[in-house]
């Protein structure tokens, strides 16, 4: 089988570069990945993807192949790589169950606008549709949860499809692209043209740009406002617009809140930052939006966890909505100044002409009063280790260390969003739209591979960690020194919180310990000592080759966190926390800040 000599690169556009000679379809895929700058792929092999894996072995000096222990783990690792870099994350599986195990990761990437490419092996084309062994119509399964998708039946189309996939995944609103490759297509010999024209009728990948009159309208609205608020969504991070947002705030003095996806898009310790908005956002951020006269929404989609009752959200405000995706404009909340544009471009243009509002002193005084009355805080007199305390202390210890935080989904996720002050974009990686438990550990793997010199910590819950705990093996075998802080309350904490608030504390299968030991649930404050906790995460972690430690006394916390940070390899810190602790404040679903629960 002919291969391409990987010495000095061939001149771009030369015949040798475009059409280097006959090779297998699988090798075309690998060559395409290399040409698009891919340095790592998270891939689990199987019968239908073996030709791809065989081709990858011939390019070990160009592409690192990381073997996850579950295909979903590989998908989330690709997301961790993509979310922390802005580059495309690539994952690969075999057909059938291998492909369906990627479905959740693809849906997650679609909702959070993450650029990943998923390559799946497929049964040979002659048996497609016959219910062949390990056959699933994965394109049909994933049609509505991918940005684009391909079933490649012509091996001559592989090079073009790969070009298109990278283009679609990274342009406009980023998202996941699925490429399904039958095994006979991978094996077929072709003469690829790596610069074949793309065929994407109707797709416009160019970044839309705000019109000058729209920029002037926004500037005028700012100048006349007296109670303005900016909301930073995930689009600010995706477009690289954080510097422009900071400049806008410094020019105008407008306070900033953010969605979960927007955390890190604006410095979390800035005096004009109001913390997160929405169901578990700060009281003062929610009040500010409720009372503002101008709401500037940047790259956000007005998710229900942010808005609550839509008709009451920013009810008194003129709404400016800037988003790269035209389908988001007026979808949930009508905008007075709707702008389809790349956020970075729009803010750069706005900064050229914007003037600050005349006087925001009364607005600042009101926000400060709300902040003093209802700060984000917790009971520091308690004897138990509270999750909020863990995260606050972690922030103090790591704020001057380049750090990336990932999370699972649940109470620990929201406490992290509240109490860790993210200063930089792409340092908070969390499943915000789909809310996928099990996201944290594999996402940390992808982030650590992308940033080997940064500290990468997964803050997780016991229920969420168990969803993809097998990826501990990946960390050990691949020498990926991620850290896990496990806030262990032996329950599905967020569901327990809703049971307590709305279902008279009736426990409906939310206790994760042995069913024959229910007495462990009701012990005092709900903080379970080691002998009552199940499973034994320290023993499990050590079985995977990790260092591990368990604590449940408050005086142990600082020393344990320092030990975790300094550990040279993968490390798990299992912290017993009370299951009765709730994430507050809380706005019940579909309600308003006037219905907020404070205690």
């Amino acid at each position: 089988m002919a291969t391409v000599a990987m010495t000095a690169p061939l001149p771009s556009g030369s015949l040798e570069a475009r059409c280097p000679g006959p090779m297998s379809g699988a090798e075309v895929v690998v060559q395409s990945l290399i040409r698009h700058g891919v340095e790592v792929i998270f891939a689990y092999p199987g019968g239908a993807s073996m030709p791809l894996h065989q081709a990858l072995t011939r390019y070990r000096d160009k592409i690192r192949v990381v073997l996850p222990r579950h295909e979903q783990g590989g998908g989330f690792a690709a997301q961790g790589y993509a979310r922390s870099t802005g580059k495309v994350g690539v994952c690969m599986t075999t057909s059938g169950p291998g492909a369906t195990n990627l479905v959740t990761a693809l849906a997650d990437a679609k909702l959070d606008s993450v650029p990943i490419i998923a390559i799946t092996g497929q049964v040979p084309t002659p048996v497609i549709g016959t219910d062949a062994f390990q056959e699933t119509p994965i394109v049909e399964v994933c049609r509505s949860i991918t940005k684009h998708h391909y079933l490649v039946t012509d091996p001559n189309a592989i090079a073009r499809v790969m070009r298109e996939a990278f283009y679609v995944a990274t342009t406009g609103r980023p998202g996941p692209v699925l490429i399904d490759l039958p095994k006979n297509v991978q094996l077929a010999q072709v003469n690829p043209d790596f610069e074949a024209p793309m065929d994407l009728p109707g797709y416009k990948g160019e970044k839309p740009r705000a019109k000058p009159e729209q920029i002037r309208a926004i500037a005028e609205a700012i100048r006349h406002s007296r109670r303005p608020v900016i909301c930073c969504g995930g689009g600010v991070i995706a477009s690289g617009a954080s510097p422009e947002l900071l400049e806008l705030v410094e020019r105008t003095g407008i306070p900033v809140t953010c969605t979960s996806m927007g955390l890190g898009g604006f410095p979390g310790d800035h005096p004009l930052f109001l913390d997160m908005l929405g169901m578990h956002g700060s009281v003062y951020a929610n009040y500010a939006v409720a009372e503002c006269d101008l709401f500037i929404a940047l790259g956000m989609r007005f998710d229900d966890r942010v808005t609550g009752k839509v008709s009451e959200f920013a009810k008194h405000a003129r709404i400016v909505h800037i988003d790269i995706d035209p389908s988001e404009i007026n979808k949930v909340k009508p905008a007075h100044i709707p702008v389809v544009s790349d956020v970075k471009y729009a803010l750069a243009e706005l900064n050229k002409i914007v003037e600050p509002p005349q006087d925001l002193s009364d607005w600042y005084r009101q926000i400060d009063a709300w902040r003093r009355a209802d700060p984000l805080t917790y009971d520091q007199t308690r004897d138990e280790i509270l999750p909020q305390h863990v995260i606050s202390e972690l922030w103090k210890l790591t704020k001057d260390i380049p750090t990336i935080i990932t999370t699972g989904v649940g109470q620990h996720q929201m406490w992290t969003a509240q109490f860790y002050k993210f200063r930089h974009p792409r340092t908070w990686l969390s499943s915000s739209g789909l809310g996928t438990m099990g996201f944290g550990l594999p996402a940390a793997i992808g982030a650590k591979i992308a940033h080997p010199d940064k500290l990468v910590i997964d803050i997780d819950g016991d229920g969420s960690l168990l969803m993809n705990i097998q990826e501990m093996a990946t960390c050990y075998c691949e020498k990926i020194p991620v850290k896990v802080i496990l806030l262990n309350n032996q329950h599905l904490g967020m569901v327990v919180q809703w049971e307590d608030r709305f279902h008279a504390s009736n426990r409906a299968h939310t206790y994760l310990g042995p069913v024959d030991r229910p007495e462990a649930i009701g012990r005092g404050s709900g903080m379970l000592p080691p002998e009552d906790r199940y499973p034994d995460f320290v023993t499990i972690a050590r079985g995977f080759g990790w260092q591990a430690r368990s604590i449940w006394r408050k005086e142990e916390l600082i020393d344990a966190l320092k030990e975790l940070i300094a550990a040279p390899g993968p490390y798990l810190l299992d912290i017993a926390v009370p299951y009765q602790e709730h994430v507050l404040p809380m706005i019940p679903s579909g309600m308003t800040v006037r219905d907020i629960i404070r205690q």
Side-chain angles (χ1 to χ4, degrees), residues 83 112 231-235 237 257-266 273 275-281 299-301 303 305-306 405 407-410 413-418 422 426-435:
R83 288 176 187 246
D112 284 357
C231 185
C232 168
I237 296 172
T257 182
C258 71
T259 67
S260 172
M261 284 295 296
L263 284 168
F266 187 79
F273 188 54
D275 292 295
M276 189 173 68
L277 178 65
M279 178 177 283
H280 293 296
M300 62 171 284
R301 56 187 180 88
D303 177 79
R305 290 296 175 100
V306 168
I405 301 293
T407 73
V409 168
Q413 176 191 29
M414 292 296 97
W415 279 315
T416 305
Q418 290 178 337
F422 295 94
R426 303 194 182 281
T427 56
W428 151 263
L429 314 181
S430 192
S431 172
S432 297
L434 196 63

Side-chain angles (χ1 to χ4, degrees), residues 565-576:
I565 292 167
Y571 188 106
L572 179 135
L573 177 59
D574 177 21
I575 305 176

Side-chain angles (χ1 to χ4, degrees), residues 192-228:
D193 181 354
F194 287 104
E195 296 182 22
M198 292 187 291
D199 183 19
L200 294 167
Y203 180 73
K204 296 179 180 179
E206 300 83 8
K207 292 180 180 179
R209 293 188 167 191
K211 297 178 175 61
E213 59 269 24
Q214 294 174 319
I215 298 298
R216 289 194 295 269
I218 298 170
E220 190 69 8
I222 289 173
R223 190 166 67 86
H224 289 289
S225 66
R226 294 295 176 267
R227 302 186 308 278

Side-chain angles (χ1 to χ4, degrees), residues 386-544:
L386 294 187
Q388 305 96 312
H389 180 52
V390 174
I391 295 161
S392 295
E393 294 300 331
L394 180 69
W395 154 246
K396 293 174 187 176
L397 290 171
T398 61
K399 63 182 180 179
D400 296 321
I401 302 171
T403 303
I404 295 173
I405 301 293
T406 72
T407 73
V409 168
Q411 288 179 310
H412 64 276
Q413 176 191 29
M414 292 296 97
W415 279 315
T416 305
Q418 290 178 337
F419 290 95
Y420 199 97
K421 305 300 180 184
F422 295 94
R423 288 171 165 172
H424 305 287
R426 303 194 182 281
T427 56
W428 151 263
L429 314 181
S430 192
S431 172
S432 297
L434 196 63
T436 309
M437 294 173 68
F439 176 89
L441 176 57
I445 290 172
K448 184 62 177 178
I449 288 173
H451 303 276
D453 297 330
K454 291 186 178 181
L455 176 66
V456 179
I457 302 174
D458 168 32
I459 299 175
D460 227 322
D462 47 318
S464 199
L465 180 62
L466 278 170
M467 292 276 185
N468 274 314
I469 199 168
Q470 74 287 336
E471 299 309 324
M472 282 187 166
T474 306
C475 293
Y476 176 78
C477 295
E478 298 280 347
K479 303 187 185 306
I480 306 167
V482 304
K483 314 298 174 67
V484 172
I485 293 176
L486 177 59
L487 301 177
N488 188 347
N489 65 7
Q490 292 285 281
H491 289 73
L492 298 175
M494 189 60 85
V495 188
V496 164
Q497 177 168 330
W498 282 55
E499 288 175 337
D500 287 344
R501 297 291 175 174
F502 310 116
H503 299 280
S505 298
N506 182 43
R507 296 288 174 257
H509 324 111
T510 50
Y511 170 53
L512 296 174
V515 295
D516 61 343
R517 289 166 59 195
E519 72 280 358
I521 306 175
R523 179 179 298 204
S525 67
M527 200 218 16
L528 306 179
E531 63 269 19
D532 286 332
R533 282 186 278 159
Y534 174 88
D536 182 348
F537 282 99
V538 169
T539 298
I540 292 170
R542 288 174 178 166
F544 278 115

